[in-house]
Amino acid sequence: MKNLRLLDICNNEEKDLSKLMEIIAESVFDGILITDIKGSIIYTNSSCETILEIQKKEIKNKKVVTIIDDKSIKELLIKPKFTVERSIVFKDKDITVRIVPFYKNNKHIFNIIILRSIFYETDPQHELRKLEQSLDIMKDILDYEYQGMALVDAEGKIIKFNYEKLFGIKEEDVIGKPVEEVIDNTRLHVVIKTGKKEINDIQNIQGKDMIASRIPIIKDGKVLGAMGSVLFKDVRELKSLAQRIETYKKNVKKYKSEIKMMHAANYSFDQIITENKRMKHLKEMAKRAAESSSTVLIQGESGTGKEYFAHSIHRASLRSHGAFVRINCAAIPRELLEAELFGYEEGAFTGARKEGKLGKLEIANGGTVLFDEIGTMPLEMQAKLLRVLEEREFERIGGTQRISLDIRVIASTNEELEEAVVKGKFRQDLYYRLNVIRINIPPLRERLEDILSLSKHTMEDLANRLGIKAKIIEPETIEVFKKYDWPGNVRELRNVIESALNLVNEKTIYPRHLPDYIQQKTKEGIYNSGDNSLLLKEIVAKAELKAIKEALNNTKGNRTEAAKKLGIHRTALYKKIESYGLDITKL
Ligand SMILES: Nc1ncnc2c1ncn2[C@@H]1O[C@H](COP(=O)(O)OP(=O)(O)OP(=O)(O)O)[C@@H](O)[C@H]1O
Ligand SMILES: [Mg+2]
């Protein structure tokens, strides 16, 4: 039987198709905005109203940037070439904004803007945990063993009574009795007469201070009875309960943020694509590291997948139920870094939020922290961080309570930290603390065998995400990719593929579809210096290896003698022997 296609349902009519699209857009939780190329809104779905808290009619024909006044969105809307995504804060909500430009025959026609409130993204498991926690609070209050309630009729006789938990008096023993004979210092019989409620009065019952409220029950101006309730064993009890509720509230807040942060840890080891031996080895090493709580230092050029590794380690570890919190040391202004890390108490400093703020370390407690671009952390902050890592304890700014810390630390850097240490820009002691398990991710140009599988995988992934058909990448195109040096590594490769996927109309991507700078590189590679210099390097290396082998043979493997003969220092010879992988026992 022939498969039913979407267009069949629509009888090939554009009107039907647009109706169908509208139904789909109206059924999703994400906000969908369609703008013309100048950024004026031509369509919105209903979810936009919820997410942006604005009515549809107020949005239509307006420029997106007048509604979402965010600098990064403004920049993205200027001639977007391929799908881009940003997280922004809008009316105190975290919103992920995805901009999908639509091109037809190489002409930019419109943009689809998808808004996702983190609220809808929450992981159900965590939602459940949060709910359970709120329920716990409720139960705690309801079950509180120190609350009592009594109902009396117009004559002050007890008709309902639950003071049993409080004073051990059973309901059946007191029903029908005058209330003043049963409860110490009660005023319920007075309230029946005055008809006036008494709220939060202190009442001493069996030697304990209680907080009592008494409410007359009145109908048609006539007092029918009164209800009294007493709460808590004594006033101090009230205070301690209030404190407990406060702690619960903070916890709920903490879990909320945790859910948000958890979203960052979306990647796992099987998503790290590689055919390269060294990378496979690194993956194995990282998997082993995941089993422990050891600190991991990941070094690699930009876009090599440092964050992928960090996420995967967290996901594969026993801490995966905890939060994965990323701290971008380069992006947080130096004066805010401390507050971000440690959090602060209510009113800790001017400008601080009134209710205080949880620090990222506290949010990550029980989970993993990634210090991204650790090399850019200011020296004085490095000292503070080192102390925290050593003591495994910290205080919030303006706080007095020591909070114990149970986190795994992953640090990542794209510069050589060793060099930063030598230059005095990075503390040596902190460097040693972090450099426990070391993962050096090679740049893409040093693992050319990854280019084919990464290109294929990325193409599939992007097509899937965009809901369009993947294109074939010509083997010739892959060859061009292999000759380019990819300063932006895998991220750059992904961007190039995404751009081709969006802009190329044909089913196949040929080298001519690639940006000029990539094609140019290939021509240079074939006709100019590129290959020759490689060749020269090879010639030098071969000659050097031959000379070293000869010298070692002539001196019967005596490295000091051989170094003298070669006119180089002994340690330099050791290094060369190691780098050529020479086994001197087999010479
Ligand atoms: N081995 C891989 N397999 C699949 N995709 C990868 C791999 N490595 C990197 N990527 C892709 O490249 C992008 C960049 O990776 P990531 O963010 O981990 O880089 P990074 O090293 O943290 O870069 P930066 O230093 O700029 O922060 C990822 O979003 C992912 O799409
Ligand atoms: Mg990164």
Side-chain angles (χ1 to χ4, degrees), residues 150-162:
L151 200 60
V152 297
D153 62 15
E155 290 165 22
K157 295 207 173 110
I158 295 171
I159 48 179
K160 184 101 190 105
F161 187 86
N162 77 342

Side-chain angles (χ1 to χ4, degrees), residues 390-414:
E390 269 167 1
E391 293 174 2
R392 295 264 155 195
E393 258 189 1
F394 71 99
E395 272 163 28
R396 294 188 196 131
I397 300 173
T400 45
Q401 202 191 334
R402 302 284 289 167
I403 301 165
S404 64
L405 195 62
D406 166 33
I407 51 168
R408 140 135 49 207
V409 173
I410 303 180
S412 79
T413 168
N414 46 34

Side-chain angles (χ1 to χ4, degrees), residues 271-273 301-308 414 454 490-491 494:
Q271 280 161 283
I272 300 180
I273 309 291
E301 286 180 14
S302 172
T304 45
K306 296 185 291 296
E307 222 167 304
Y308 257 43
N414 46 34
L454 274 173
V490 188
R491 184 184 291 115
R494 191 179 170 92

Side-chain angles (χ1 to χ4, degrees), residues 324-500:
F324 175 91
V325 177
R326 173 174 168 259
I327 299 169
N328 187 344
C329 305
I332 302 174
R334 138 192 312 253
E335 59 276 13
L336 290 186
L337 193 56
E338 192 174 355
E340 278 291 319
L341 242 65
F342 303 121
Y344 49 82
E345 292 289 345
E346 195 176 313
F349 49 86
T350 34
R353 271 203 280 166
K354 197 170 166 281
E355 72 277 25
K357 185 181 148 102
L358 276 185
K360 294 210 161 162
L361 290 180
E362 205 170 334
I363 293 169
N365 231 347
T368 306
V369 179
L370 166 64
F371 288 98
D372 215 355
E373 303 206 34
I374 187 97
T376 61
M377 185 180 268
L379 275 168
E380 70 269 18
M381 220 30 235
Q382 292 177 24
K384 285 185 183 151
L385 178 64
L386 179 70
R387 220 183 67 215
V388 171
L389 295 184
E390 269 167 1
E391 293 174 2
R392 295 264 155 195
E393 258 189 1
F394 71 99
E395 272 163 28
R396 294 188 196 131
I397 300 173
T400 45
Q401 202 191 334
R402 302 284 289 167
I403 301 165
S404 64
L405 195 62
D406 166 33
I407 51 168
R408 140 135 49 207
V409 173
I410 303 180
S412 79
T413 168
N414 46 34
E415 50 190 311
E416 300 275 351
L417 269 193
E418 295 77 3
E419 259 176 45
V421 170
V422 173
K423 286 184 191 151
K425 286 190 185 148
F426 202 81
R427 288 182 69 109
Q428 191 167 30
D429 40 12
L430 181 60
Y431 168 72
Y432 286 136
R433 263 251 145 217
L434 298 174
N435 194 22
V436 180
I437 296 174
R438 176 67 173 258
I439 294 177
N440 281 348
I441 308 181
L444 187 55
R445 63 185 162 279
E446 286 176 21
R447 41 182 167 116
L448 297 180
E449 61 271 51
D450 276 354
I451 286 188
L452 177 63
S453 53
L454 274 173
S455 304
K456 275 190 179 165
H457 168 84
T458 308
M459 175 56 86
E460 293 292 328
D461 182 47
L462 287 170
N464 238 335
R465 276 170 199 257
L466 300 174
I468 52 178
K469 204 167 176 312
K471 294 189 193 296
I472 300 160
I473 307 176
E474 256 285 308
E476 226 180 298
T477 309
I478 297 288
E479 285 315 305
V480 174
F481 281 169
K482 284 186 181 170
K483 289 187 178 111
Y484 180 58
D485 59 1
W486 300 108
N489 293 290
V490 188
R491 184 184 291 115
E492 187 181 4
L493 176 68
R494 191 179 170 92
N495 288 346
V496 167
I497 293 177
E498 180 157 7
S499 150

Side-chain angles (χ1 to χ4, degrees), residues 224-289:
L224 301 179
M227 196 194 84
S229 68
V230 288
L231 273 169
F232 319 113
K233 191 165 63 183
D234 60 29
V235 182
R236 272 164 308 178
E237 200 74 42
L238 174 66
K239 266 193 199 151
S240 96
L241 184 67
Q243 268 166 5
R244 276 172 63 195
I245 289 178
E246 207 39 49
T247 323
Y248 278 132
K249 270 206 224 147
K250 275 190 185 156
N251 277 348
V252 168
K253 219 174 122 193
K254 174 180 157 173
Y255 286 122
K256 267 194 196 159
S257 327
E258 236 188 63
I259 290 167
K260 233 166 56 190
M261 303 282 183
M262 282 290 290
H263 275 271
N266 273 338
Y267 315 115
S268 54
F269 282 118
D270 44 298
Q271 280 161 283
I272 300 180
I273 309 291
T274 189
E275 302 296 326
N276 177 273
K277 219 172 123 196
R278 221 162 107 205
M279 282 289 284
K280 283 183 181 166
H281 170 70
L282 289 179
K283 259 172 83 170
E284 280 314 306
M285 210 166 102
K287 277 183 196 167
R288 260 179 284 133

